[in-house]
Amino acid sequence: MPNSRINGLKISNVDVYSPTPLGRCDVYVFDKKILSIGTETPDIPGVEFRTLDGTGLVMVPGFIDSHLHFTGAGSIGAGPVSREPDFSFSEIVSYGITTAVGCPGADYLSRSMINLFQKARSLESEGLSTYFWSSGYSNPSITLTQSLSTDMLICEKALGAKIAISDYMAPPWTADELHRLLWQVISGSQMAAKKGVVHVHAGVLPAAIDVVKEVVSRYSFHEGAHWSSMHGGGGSVASHFQITHVNWTDRLLQEATDFAIAGGTADVTAGLSPNHGSEGSVIPSEAVIRMLEAGVPDTQITVSSDSGGNISHCHGHGEVDLIRLRPPLILEVFQELARTGIVSLETAAKVTSTNVADLHGWTDKGHLTAGQRADLLLFGADDFDLRHVVLGGEIVFEDSQPTRLGLMESGRGLMGPAHA
């Protein structure tokens, strides 16, 4: 008979938010997935469960960041000196992010889609779930393959396109051009069985999101149209758009609020706050609360970090003003929402995790149920300090400290075979 081995994890006596509150439970994890949530111990021959005491802790799904420049961004405003470095594995997971969507930035000239794709693969090989947006600050789009449709079809990590509008650095977009881009995303996603999303960087220029609203208005089936005539369409075309940086100004927040009520997704930027140097912006947690109070369903709001980007300005003579969006601050927004008690812990978990998973139709993330990938965050129930991060069933952050570094940041990648 083989010897027993400890290769499972039991988190005992923890208050679970799935995000729906499930009460105090024992959570069993095995083979990277949640095995069960309850009080009975599963019986699997040859498996022992290490116990992590969850007394006094609450558990929520791991954060999903749909706007993370994990290859860095910048190199604009102040030029090469403002070029941001890549993110390491521990810099991401130590802030509770267990799934990250790589995002092209304004510097589309010196950073390629191949570079973004390879970084996504690198982070995934270390345990993080990763995806990416095609394109960026460019019109026509920049893609990994010959088109957006083909990106969507042949690459599992491709979710759609990121574009930039109403920004000094953004190219002009006509409604016809955006319509064509949306068609590419939707047609590719239909063949790949994906949702297909256009992630829209909205700037502060007066046009705001007018071009998006015009394109959405073009898709309107007559009442009672049969599904066979829609070729996979129907429903809310607004749901294919996620508008980000909505808390940049009060005016943009109101535009995004109306759009989210109409079926789109309003994405609050965690790193964009007057508390972090962005004057005129709305504090992210306040933006979430204001949208909820205005009638936006709590399913139509997400929070992303924009980490790896920066806002820079060069005065000459080597003087640079620089606002860096590091580290990923979704954690800060979750904590502010949880600590104020103005919104429920269930809603705080939805906007930082569940809603992104549901937007893309991911069935293995964003919820804590049996069979889901075991991406779990454990917080102190009184202070909401992050205590533990479980990534694919592995504890990578324990007692408020990282327990595993990425290959290159740990130094293991620098050792020759004789020293390994």
Side-chain angles (χ1 to χ4, degrees):
M1 181 176 179
N3 293 328
S4 295
R5 59 193 186 279
I6 301 175
N7 57 359
L9 176 65
K10 171 186 177 182
I11 304 169
S12 64
N13 201 38
V14 62
D15 283 322
V16 178
Y17 287 79
S18 175
T20 303
L22 302 180
R24 194 160 296 172
C25 306
D26 294 338
V27 178
Y28 291 88
V29 172
F30 176 68
D31 193 24
K32 299 184 180 182
K33 297 180 180 179
I34 297 173
L35 185 61
S36 67
I37 299 176
T39 56
E40 294 185 6
T41 303
D43 183 15
I44 304 178
V47 175
E48 291 184 359
F49 290 89
R50 171 198 168 179
T51 298
L52 180 66
D53 186 8
T55 303
L57 303 179
V58 296
M59 177 189 290
V60 299
F63 298 148
I64 302 177
D65 191 346
S66 54
H67 191 118
L68 177 59
H69 297 282
F70 48 56
T71 57
S75 306
I76 60 169
V81 72
S82 65
R83 185 182 179 89
E84 291 282 342
D86 283 14
F87 270 92
S88 67
F89 169 79
S90 69
E91 284 181 300
I92 297 173
V93 299
S94 294
Y95 288 87
I97 294 169
T98 56
T99 300
V101 183
C103 206
D107 177 13
Y108 64 93
L109 295 175
S110 68
R111 301 174 194 269
S112 69
M113 286 300 306
I114 293 175
N115 179 44
L116 183 68
F117 176 55
Q118 185 72 343
K119 179 66 176 181
R121 295 172 68 197
S122 171
L123 290 169
E124 181 132 349
S125 71
E126 296 183 311
L128 193 74
S129 290
T130 59
Y131 300 88
F132 69 88
W133 300 114
S134 297
S135 199
Y137 278 72
S138 178
N139 182 11
S141 301
I142 296 174
T143 58
L144 185 67
T145 63
Q146 68 265 35
S147 70
L148 281 170
S149 296
T150 310
D151 280 9
M152 296 291 293
L153 178 63
I154 70 174
C155 185
E156 290 302 314
K157 292 187 177 298
L159 300 181
K162 177 207 169 180
I163 66 167
I165 62 173
S166 298
D167 190 291
Y168 175 71
M169 282 294 297
W173 281 93
T174 66
D176 284 348
E177 289 168 335
L178 181 55
H179 192 164
R180 187 173 298 110
L181 178 139
L182 177 63
W183 163 74
Q184 289 189 63
V185 169
I186 290 179
S187 62
S189 65
Q190 289 282 302
M191 289 179 275
K194 299 177 183 177
K195 173 64 181 288
V197 175
V198 179
H199 185 73
V200 181
H201 162 116
V204 300
L205 296 182
I209 59 173
D210 287 351
V211 68
V212 175
K213 291 188 291 185
E214 181 175 346
V215 170
V216 169
S217 71
R218 295 182 177 187
Y219 288 84
S220 180
F221 293 101
H222 67 81
E223 186 176 351
H226 191 263
W227 63 268
S228 63
S229 67
M230 297 182 184
H231 290 89
S236 171
V237 173
S239 70
H240 289 276
F241 286 95
Q242 183 184 32
I243 311 297
T244 193
H245 310 324
V246 301
N247 54 314
W248 210 325
T249 65
D250 286 297
R251 180 175 179 270
L252 185 56
L253 183 61
Q254 184 56 59
E255 290 265 345
T257 295
D258 295 339
F259 188 70
I261 290 173
T265 298
D267 187 53
V268 174
T269 298
L272 193 62
S273 170
N275 294 336
H276 299 298
S278 297
E279 295 183 9
S281 61
V282 181
I283 293 172
S285 56
E286 180 184 330
V288 172
I289 293 168
R290 283 169 54 176
M291 284 192 285
L292 291 170
E293 290 176 342
V296 176
D298 67 359
T299 56
Q300 302 305 120
I301 303 171
T302 57
V303 179
S304 65
S305 71
D306 196 19
S307 292
N310 65 45
I311 302 170
S312 59
H313 177 64
C314 185
H315 295 291
H317 308 292
E319 296 180 7
V320 177
D321 289 333
L322 183 65
I323 300 172
R324 301 185 69 195
L325 280 67
R326 297 177 81 96
L329 290 175
I330 295 176
L331 172 62
E332 181 179 86
V333 180
F334 175 86
Q335 289 172 325
E336 288 176 358
L337 292 171
R339 287 166 179 164
T340 62
I342 296 175
V343 303
S344 67
L345 195 56
E346 177 179 357
T347 295
K350 281 184 177 181
V351 302
T352 53
S353 179
T354 309
N355 292 347
V356 180
D358 291 350
L359 173 65
H360 294 288
W362 296 331
T363 58
D364 63 337
K365 297 179 179 67
H367 299 264
L368 302 184
T369 56
Q372 290 267 306
R373 178 180 156 95
D375 291 337
L376 320 170
L377 306 183
L378 286 87
F379 292 86
D382 295 327
D383 55 17
F384 290 100
D385 287 345
L386 181 60
R387 306 294 175 80
H388 312 292
V389 177
V390 179
L391 180 69
E394 177 190 359
I395 301 173
V396 294
F397 186 83
E398 185 171 10
D399 296 326
S400 305
Q401 295 293 328
T403 57
R404 176 163 73 81
L405 301 177
L407 177 66
M408 293 302 171
E409 59 180 323
S410 68
R412 289 179 290 143
L414 302 178
M415 297 179 183
H419 304 288

